[in-house]
Amino acid sequence: MTTSNRPTVAIDELNPLASSVSGAPSILYLGPTTSARGDHEPKCFHDLLLDQVFFSITKDRGDYQLLPFFYDHLGGVDDIKFRHEVWGDLEEAALLDGIRAFASQMRDVHQRLSWSVKSTFVQHRRALRLDAADHYCSAVTNLANALGAANLKSRALLRYRDSLAAYASSIAFEQLASETRSLKDQLSQIRYCINLKGLHVRVVKYEGEADYGAEIEETFARFQQSVVKDYRRSISDWPDMNHVEAMIADRVALLFADIFSCLQSFCEHESDFLDDTVTLFEREIQFYLSYLDFIAPLKSQGLAFCLPDIQVESKEISAKETFDLALANKLALQGTPAVRNDFHLEGEERIIVISGPNQGGKTTFARTFGQIHYLASIGCPVPGRAAKLYLYDELFTHFGKEEDPTYHSGKLEDDLLRIRAVLNQATTNSIIIMNEIFASTTTQDALALGTKIIDKIISLDALCVVVSFIDELSLLGPSVISMTSTINPENPIERTFKIVRHPADGLAYALAIAEKYGLIYDTLRKRITS
Amino acid sequence: MKAHLMFRDKDFDLLQPLPPNETQLVHDLDLDTLLVAMAGADEFLRQVSRVALLNGLSNPEEIAYRQSVLADCASHSDVVREIYGLTVNALAEQHKMFWFNHRDNPSSMMFQSPKIIAMFIGFLRQLRKIADEHADSFVSEGWTTLFTTLKEELNDAYFVAVDDHLKQLNFRDGTLISARLSFGNTGIDYVLRDSRHTKQTWKERLGVGGRKSYSFDINPRDEAGGNALSTLMSKGVNSAANSLTQAADHLSNFFTMLRTELAFYVATLNLEKSLSLLNGPTCSPAAQPWSPALLRFSGLYDACLALRSQKGVVGNDTDADGKTVVIITGANSGGKSTFLRSVGIALLMMRTGMFVPAESFTASVCEGLFTHFVREEDTSMTSGKLDEELARMSDIADAITPKCFVLFNESFSATNEREGSEIARQVIQALIDSNVRAIVVTHLYDLAQWFYLNETESTLFLQAGRETDGGRSFKLTPGEPLSTSYGEDVYNRIGGW
């Protein structure tokens, strides 16, 4: 079992919501406080399009700072199992609904607290804070009830349930809840009037005066003849208060001094009612919720997700009906499910060389291979009906880079330097993914250099996927297998996007694609002169 | 009044549509570097330069018109920069007067427009003075026409007449507005009247005899009352304010156009200065008709590379007269892309009427320049790499016409060599047979070999240099295409793995 030696970032630096020294048990990490957390995006993210995936997953949840969790490759099988158990518990619909309701109420709490902090008017600030406390109390109670009613099996949620139950029955919490209820109730019964005279405003208690607006409406109803513009303005929910409203509120507070002095003392002694037990869970559960929300539309398209078998000894890996998560997410918007592929390696097989027609899904397959291994390493369900995956130490990618006009020493050298860096760092426990290497050189050079690369990876005995148009690379030994993209023989332009274990056959059908774009000689001539 | 420094007979349109391959050209030829040298941080100079570069001319005579204006600018750079500065200051003054904030309200237009006009007239006087002092030493058609126009249209009598009008617009005796009654006795058809001959007499003021009058006051702190008066005023002066504002607009447009057209020349002078500091030679190119095919130059270098690295770079000499295709093969890191970019930039600058970064340069003027350079793997997942290359080529096919130039850099190499060569051959052949010319940097040996065997007469073959120890020389030389790109050299140089 390898331990990550990534630098540890204290959680309170990442998230003001989280506590620095927390007695609350984590639902993401088995161990107490030793957990390492990712402080930067892994290098493979861009090539694997995991940057897009995790951007989509976390984009509406910026406040929770979830990316550090998703950047954190777990070192041990039991760490991964700890999360697998939680995914199992969350399959219970009633529990999941209860947790979602909790999350939503907590968002209301933070929103009100932040409005409260920003307000410059004292009565405005206090009312918002009381409202936040009200939402908080019901969030805690509801979560405790939901956990209590659920049939929990995971170590994470079982130990958390106990911790929350203790908090919810504490004197401090019960006192907060009863004071909040009482104050809310009293404030809601206050009635007052303002009297405007020129620039003069007077505030008084309400004493039963009749509804004049209704009288006026009745009086003038007879003049209505046709539809006229509606001058009523929609009143926004924006919790802003202007200085006039503030001065009125100050006068109301003087009229009802008893209630408002209670509110004042409430705000003073309950200045920080958020408990670590609650806020840590609030943030960590978003790891699960965000991922579930992301995969839900894909599942409804019939795409499967599974908890993979995690392997550390054997490199006999396999996956059934797996797919590219980034592509599937994009296609889901268009209503098309992504194409699914299978793969397996057995015995001494380590390296998959993918060749075949372009636009056949080769790059997508290479990305998929990397994505599912990464997802497995953070304890998430992976795309596919079933999967056995390897727990690697590092995942390296090398994808073709654009020629940069500022870089004048040549593209090939740049490629080779980057490849050397990968090969020198990779160990026997690494996974290496190379896509369309040496696109800018001759077949002769690409074959010679490609062979040098494969030879080096064979000697490392590492798992590897190589996409290349150099067929010969798939024949370099028993540890190398060939997979090819396939085409529909009836219509070479139509792609199946299926990648299958098959000897390389050298057919790229490039001209068929050129024809599709109207770029063969006759068509192109007509286009230029027309 | 027209500036007409960019065209003999029309204005330079800063908002004209740019060619559909704008993004590609800017990116592939690294035009941003060129634009920085032309404009520095000046966003306006940059915008003008960008539009001029991307929408070049295809007529050698139009190019010659600009080249002669540019020659005058080069020999009188102080005067040209002074006039440019004047236009910049005039427009900055206008901006300071918050002109654009007041144009929805006739009252404020009535108040502001005369001030704007007076301000511009001041700058016109200065411009006239410069014309009087320097016109004689300018020789180009563009400049002499402009100076003549200034002297004729801005004569002394004209300035006197303008001053007279501006004085009257002070309304020292109040604004007189006529109106008629409409529904509910409210006013309508408000018209501003001349008040100079209707001054109130002392008798009227006292209410004894003559024209009878009544008056009332609005409390100065009554904001709503003030607003109502202002609305009435606006209705009254509507038409007059419109005329004044249009006059101010015309003046503003003249200064804007003069500034725009001068900006191109100022930016070009800036670039020439930057290159001369790097000892980079420049010359006025000989722009020739499309046929016969002409392309020959000496000491041509990549101006962007020189600017970026802040030192002189190796120039190339080539004679491709009579050739419709140039195919460049050979060593990696051998300066092929640099060469390609240098030709592209020079063709573009020539089309614009600028100098070119070379010792000498003669070429046919094309009607459009296109680039097809290798790109990074598409991250939007809509297509694979070859698909992306073909889609870009198809975009070019949509936009291209005969008499255009296409620069290919490692195109169609995302598939294997045999098929990449075949696609490229069909594309290039179709282009050439349609009277398009191409420069092709390629690793596709099959492609180069095919042209060598079948199109020897019309094709020039260039080699990126290779020295015996595997080190590179960055000069390109004519020669038969070679079958390797020396990948192993690079492998050995970096020490392998």
Side-chain angles (χ1 to χ4, degrees):
Chain A
M1 226 179 288
T2 46
T3 313
S4 172
N5 56 0
R6 230 170 266 122
T8 305
V9 172
I11 192 68
D12 55 330
E13 283 176 38
L14 295 170
N15 184 3
L17 295 178
S19 62
S20 47
V21 195
S22 172
S26 170
I27 55 167
L28 281 176
Y29 294 95
L30 178 56
T33 51
T34 55
S35 53
R37 297 189 178 176
D39 60 345
H40 62 273
E41 184 181 286
K43 281 183 193 151
C44 63
F45 264 39
H46 180 66
D47 287 341
L48 297 181
L49 299 183
L50 283 172
D51 51 356
Q52 295 181 15
V53 169
F54 288 114
F55 173 77
S56 296
I57 291 177
T58 58
K59 68 171 184 245
D60 299 326
R61 292 175 156 89
D63 291 346
Y64 302 110
Q65 306 262 13
L66 296 176
L67 284 173
F69 295 139
F70 287 115
Y71 291 164
D72 191 13
H73 168 83
L74 298 177
V77 177
D78 204 33
D79 296 320
I80 293 174
K81 283 206 179 118
F82 183 75
R83 292 186 186 176
H84 283 186
E85 293 163 7
V86 176
W87 294 111
D89 278 347
L90 292 178
E91 281 172 19
E92 189 181 327
L95 173 63
L96 190 57
D97 288 348
I99 288 175
R100 285 187 195 282
F102 161 78
S104 148
Q105 279 178 309
M106 286 302 290
R107 273 194 291 278
D108 291 342
V109 171
H110 295 298
Q111 192 175 52
R112 278 155 184 74
L113 286 176
S114 97
W115 289 341
S116 170
V117 169
K118 283 176 197 151
S119 173
T120 45
F121 307 118
V122 63
Q123 299 304 344
H124 189 223
R125 277 205 303 275
R126 289 175 186 166
L128 287 169
R129 176 157 289 276
L130 177 68
D131 206 36
D134 187 40
H135 280 77
Y136 174 75
C137 292
S138 81
V140 169
T141 311
N142 291 345
L143 179 62
N145 292 343
L147 290 172
N151 179 21
L152 301 178
K153 296 200 176 63
S154 66
R155 284 170 282 174
L157 293 182
L158 280 169
R159 76 184 184 187
Y160 182 71
R161 176 168 71 188
D162 294 345
S163 169
L164 183 69
Y167 170 65
S169 59
S170 67
I171 293 171
F173 180 76
E174 285 186 350
Q175 196 177 330
L176 173 73
S178 74
E179 249 191 281
T180 304
R181 261 194 313 276
S182 152
L183 267 172
K184 285 282 287 186
D185 199 42
Q186 294 179 67
L187 284 169
S188 72
Q189 290 177 22
I190 289 177
R191 298 283 183 276
Y192 71 95
C193 296
I194 53 171
N195 187 333
L196 305 174
K197 190 174 181 184
L199 301 174
H200 185 68
V201 180
R202 197 156 60 97
V203 182
V204 293
K205 284 192 181 179
Y206 169 72
E207 285 171 349
E209 295 90 343
D211 182 344
Y212 188 55
E215 285 175 36
I216 290 188
E217 191 176 303
E218 195 190 311
T219 311
F220 290 97
R222 72 191 64 172
F223 295 119
Q224 286 179 4
Q225 287 178 18
S226 60
V227 178
V228 293
K229 187 174 163 193
D230 186 348
Y231 287 96
R232 286 174 298 181
R233 299 281 182 270
S234 65
I235 309 299
S236 89
D237 287 336
W238 188 247
D240 231 351
M241 183 187 245
N242 65 42
H243 67 287
V244 175
E245 293 163 326
M247 288 189 288
I248 293 170
D250 289 344
R251 306 304 179 277
V252 173
L254 294 172
L255 289 171
F256 300 91
D258 291 353
I259 301 175
F260 280 85
S261 73
C262 287
L263 178 60
Q264 177 177 2
S265 84
F266 173 86
C267 291
E268 280 160 7
H269 72 254
E270 293 290 2
S271 63
D272 183 20
F273 54 76
L274 295 177
D275 191 88
D276 297 342
T277 314
V278 178
T279 52
L280 181 69
F281 179 86
E282 184 199 3
R283 181 185 173 207
E284 291 191 340
I285 197 64
Q286 291 295 337
F287 173 87
Y288 299 97
L289 294 182
S290 61
Y291 194 77
L292 285 175
D293 285 351
F294 179 76
I295 68 176
L298 306 179
K299 281 179 150 177
S300 70
Q301 285 190 309
L303 296 169
F305 284 82
C306 67
L307 292 173
D309 287 348
I310 305 294
Q311 315 199 95
V312 286
E313 302 298 334
S314 166
K315 290 181 181 171
E316 292 200 343
I317 54 170
S318 65
K320 282 210 180 328
E321 296 185 27
T322 186
F323 54 90
D324 178 342
L325 198 50
L327 180 62
N329 181 45
K330 191 183 173 195
L331 291 176
L333 301 174
Q334 305 159 13
T336 2
V339 169
R340 283 147 280 184
N341 281 299
D342 302 345
F343 69 81
H344 69 275
L345 292 178
E346 46 195 56
E348 56 184 312
E349 292 166 355
R350 297 288 180 269
I351 299 169
I352 304 176
V353 172
I354 307 171
S355 59
N358 279 295
Q359 284 70 59
K362 291 179 295 185
T363 299
T364 300
F365 182 89
R367 262 197 312 255
T368 306
F369 187 91
Q371 285 175 7
I372 60 176
H373 276 97
Y374 185 81
L375 292 169
S377 82
I378 57 169
C380 283
V382 303
R385 200 154 292 290
K388 282 199 295 181
L389 300 172
Y390 184 72
L391 183 56
Y392 59 84
D393 59 357
E394 287 277 359
L395 200 165
F396 296 97
T397 57
H398 178 89
F399 279 46
K401 277 259 185 339
E402 187 175 9
E403 190 175 16
D404 177 355
T406 61
Y407 193 87
H408 279 281
S409 75
K411 180 175 163 54
L412 181 66
E413 179 170 342
D414 173 43
D415 263 352
L416 289 178
L417 285 170
R418 291 197 298 137
I419 289 169
R420 186 178 67 177
V422 167
L423 293 178
N424 287 346
Q425 288 171 63
T427 73
T428 186
N429 298 325
S430 303
I431 290 178
I432 301 168
I433 296 174
M434 296 204 177
N435 187 42
E436 301 279 16
I437 40 179
F438 311 132
S440 73
T441 188
T442 61
T443 314
Q444 199 180 324
D445 272 356
L447 176 58
L449 296 169
T451 305
K452 287 185 199 294
I453 292 171
I454 302 280
D455 283 347
K456 168 74 179 185
I457 297 171
I458 290 175
S459 71
L460 275 175
D461 197 39
L463 288 168
C464 172
V465 172
V466 176
V467 175
S468 174
F469 56 84
I470 311 294
D471 298 345
E472 290 90 332
L473 295 183
S474 66
L475 305 172
L476 292 175
S479 61
V480 185
I481 68 153
S482 169
M483 293 182 77
T484 63
S485 51
T486 53
I487 53 116
N488 176 355
E490 311 260 309
N491 176 7
I493 294 176
E494 188 191 308
R495 302 290 146 178
T496 67
F497 302 111
K498 280 279 183 189
I499 306 286
V500 297
R501 261 186 93 134
H502 189 273
D505 54 15
L507 288 172
Y509 293 85
L511 279 177
I513 304 175
E515 190 166 5
K516 172 179 142 193
Y517 282 100
L519 295 175
I520 59 168
Y521 182 85
D522 291 333
T523 328
L524 182 54
R525 279 223 60 186
K526 279 184 205 128
R527 292 177 73 182
I528 299 170
T529 43
S530 69
Chain B
M1 257 180 345
K2 294 288 189 181
H4 283 185
L5 292 172
M6 292 292 274
F7 294 96
R8 179 179 284 116
D9 49 7
K10 62 176 178 182
D11 291 339
F12 177 73
D13 180 3
L14 193 53
L15 300 175
Q16 61 190 293
L18 295 173
N21 62 330
E22 167 203 351
T23 322
Q24 275 75 21
L25 273 180
V26 171
H27 180 273
D28 293 340
L29 299 181
D30 194 16
L31 294 183
D32 280 332
T33 300
L34 203 66
L35 291 172
V36 166
M38 294 179 78
D42 186 327
E43 202 42 56
F44 183 75
L45 284 182
R46 179 187 174 87
Q47 191 194 356
V48 172
S49 308
R50 198 169 189 280
V51 172
L53 266 173
L54 290 170
N55 278 342
L57 308 169
S58 44
N59 178 346
E61 279 180 35
E62 289 185 328
I63 292 175
Y65 183 84
R66 284 192 198 170
Q67 285 176 337
S68 66
V69 172
L70 177 62
D72 263 345
C73 292
S75 45
H76 302 82
S77 66
D78 289 349
V79 179
V80 170
R81 287 182 193 275
E82 187 186 350
I83 300 176
Y84 179 71
L86 210 119
T87 63
V88 171
N89 290 342
L91 293 165
E93 276 304 312
Q94 173 183 246
H95 190 72
K96 266 191 256 168
M97 295 164 96
F98 299 109
W99 174 226
F100 297 101
N101 295 349
H102 292 283
R103 301 176 68 166
D104 48 350
N105 180 345
S107 298
S108 44
M109 283 195 275
M110 198 66 194
F111 178 69
Q112 282 284 338
S113 297
K115 291 185 174 180
I116 300 274
I117 292 172
M119 180 275 294
F120 277 132
I121 291 294
F123 282 99
L124 280 179
R125 283 183 205 275
Q126 295 182 47
L127 198 56
R128 235 306 286 287
K129 194 160 162 266
I130 295 173
D132 290 343
E133 284 171 19
H134 298 284
D136 292 346
S137 61
F138 282 72
V139 294
S140 65
E141 183 187 344
W143 276 111
T144 41
T145 310
L146 174 63
F147 282 139
T148 310
T149 312
L150 288 176
K151 286 186 191 174
E152 284 172 2
E153 301 201 7
L154 300 181
N155 57 41
D156 296 339
Y158 177 75
F159 282 122
V160 170
V162 169
D163 285 349
D164 190 40
H165 278 297
L166 291 175
K167 265 179 216 150
Q168 284 181 35
L169 289 168
N170 285 334
F171 293 115
R172 212 170 294 140
D173 302 313
T175 310
L176 187 67
I177 296 167
S178 72
R180 66 179 179 87
L181 286 176
S182 179
F183 178 75
N185 276 348
T186 55
I188 198 172
D189 290 345
Y190 293 95
V191 179
L192 181 69
R193 302 291 174 184
D194 191 340
S195 57
R196 279 178 295 177
H197 307 297
T198 56
K199 283 185 184 167
Q200 232 178 4
T201 63
W202 66 271
K203 276 185 180 173
E204 286 165 358
R205 235 170 283 157
L206 293 173
V208 285
R211 241 166 122 179
K212 244 188 160 178
S213 68
Y214 296 97
S215 59
F216 65 95
D217 296 308
I218 303 251
N219 188 309
R221 279 172 296 184
D222 175 5
E223 206 176 313
N227 287 342
L229 277 187
S230 161
T231 303
L232 200 65
M233 173 78 165
S234 293
K235 288 176 181 171
V237 301
N238 208 357
S239 163
N242 178 52
S243 306
L244 282 169
T245 308
Q246 283 179 345
D249 271 357
H250 285 310
L251 283 164
S252 173
N253 288 345
F254 171 73
F255 277 94
T256 303
M257 185 50 61
L258 188 57
R259 181 190 173 198
T260 305
E261 302 205 346
L262 282 173
F264 167 73
Y265 294 101
V266 167
T268 304
L269 294 178
N270 290 345
L271 176 61
E272 193 166 23
K273 195 169 165 193
S274 297
L275 290 175
S276 74
L277 289 175
L278 303 171
N279 295 319
T282 53
C283 69
S284 183
Q288 301 295 322
W290 179 252
S291 292
L294 294 176
L295 178 63
R296 70 171 179 275
F297 47 79
S298 61
L300 175 69
Y301 59 98
D302 180 348
C304 297
L305 178 59
L307 290 166
R308 192 186 285 285
S309 56
Q310 280 300 303
K311 60 183 182 208
V313 293
V314 180
N316 268 292
D317 307 341
T318 294
D319 182 347
D321 283 357
K323 306 291 185 186
T324 50
V325 189
V326 179
I327 292 184
I328 304 160
T329 55
N332 281 302
S333 321
K336 300 191 298 286
S337 300
T338 304
F339 176 85
L340 190 65
R341 267 192 289 271
S342 71
V343 178
I345 292 167
L347 287 174
L348 214 56
M349 288 173 73
M350 180 179 79
R351 270 164 59 73
T352 311
M354 299 166 72
F355 62 84
V356 295
E359 280 152 17
S360 71
F361 191 89
T362 303
S364 303
V365 181
C366 56
E367 296 196 346
L369 181 70
F370 295 85
T371 52
H372 191 266
F373 282 30
V374 66
R375 284 272 195 284
E376 188 180 10
E377 179 87 7
D378 174 21
T379 51
S380 72
M381 294 179 295
T382 49
S383 60
K385 203 166 181 174
L386 181 64
D387 229 10
E388 187 272 339
E389 285 195 87
L390 291 170
R392 270 193 290 129
M393 188 63 227
S394 182
D395 290 344
I396 292 176
D398 283 338
I400 203 169
T401 60
K403 303 190 185 180
C404 284
F405 235 110
V406 187
L407 308 181
F408 290 99
N409 193 4
E410 308 287 14
S411 299
F412 311 120
S413 49
T415 182
N416 65 52
E417 181 172 338
R418 188 175 57 84
E419 291 186 341
S421 293
E422 180 59 15
I423 294 175
R425 185 191 67 78
Q426 297 212 17
V427 167
I428 294 165
Q429 271 252 285
L431 291 173
I432 288 153
D433 292 351
S434 310
N435 200 11
V436 171
R437 291 173 200 157
I439 303 182
V440 184
V441 166
T442 186
H443 278 92
L444 299 171
Y445 174 67
D446 292 354
L447 172 72
Q449 189 64 19
W450 189 93
F451 274 87
Y452 189 70
L453 295 176
N454 296 282
E455 296 281 349
T456 324
E457 285 305 305
S458 56
T459 309
L460 174 69
F461 295 93
L462 293 177
Q463 290 295 315
R466 184 194 195 196
E467 288 161 9
T468 45
D469 60 353
R472 308 277 181 238
S473 81
F474 287 99
K475 282 267 187 186
L476 300 189
T477 51
E480 181 184 354
L482 302 175
S483 72
T484 175
S485 291
Y486 321 114
E488 301 239 13
D489 287 358
V490 180
Y491 178 77
N492 291 329
R493 178 146 50 86
I494 68 164
W497 48 73

